[in-house]
Amino acid sequence: MKKYLLSMMFIAMPAIGALEKSGTTQVDSVLSYSVFGSGDLTFNIKDRLGKCEGGFWFNKNDPGYEANISTLLSAFHANAKVNVQGHSEQRWAGSHSNYCHLYLIRLVK
């Protein structure tokens, strides 16, 4: 059993290492695609991340889609500060640039 748990831990580790985290920044632009993918939405932050230089993406098949849109648009319109995290190994198919799949967006006061 210990060998099984240890091997599962090593399998999960690469996914943990692929989470890219921004510092405190602002949302620079938001793009919504009605035809591409599953209602895909992409956005950029002012301080771009090396592995996510294209920005971040998510779509309506993602859990939390409505909450993420609400948070994203409120941050954009209020020029609020945010922290963003995304999975760099889950690239967006709509671009050759590196877009990371959104994991979380946090409003910062």
Side-chain angles (χ1 to χ4, degrees), residues 5-80:
L5 290 175
L6 189 58
S7 65
M8 291 307 293
M9 187 175 83
F10 284 115
I11 290 171
M13 284 181 112
I16 294 169
L19 190 63
E20 301 299 317
K21 301 176 183 181
S22 77
T24 301
T25 187
Q26 292 177 302
V27 178
D28 194 36
S29 64
V30 179
L31 292 91
S32 178
Y33 297 87
S34 61
V35 178
F36 187 83
S38 298
D40 292 5
L41 191 139
T42 66
F43 68 96
N44 290 307
I45 55 176
K46 288 190 177 181
D47 304 314
R48 299 206 181 170
L49 303 177
K51 290 186 179 180
C52 306
E53 76 272 3
F56 295 86
W57 72 276
F58 61 102
N59 65 39
K60 63 182 171 184
N61 293 328
D62 293 330
Y65 176 75
E66 297 294 333
N68 286 334
I69 286 180
S70 177
T71 304
L72 179 64
L73 290 177
S74 67
F76 179 71
H77 289 293
N79 290 317

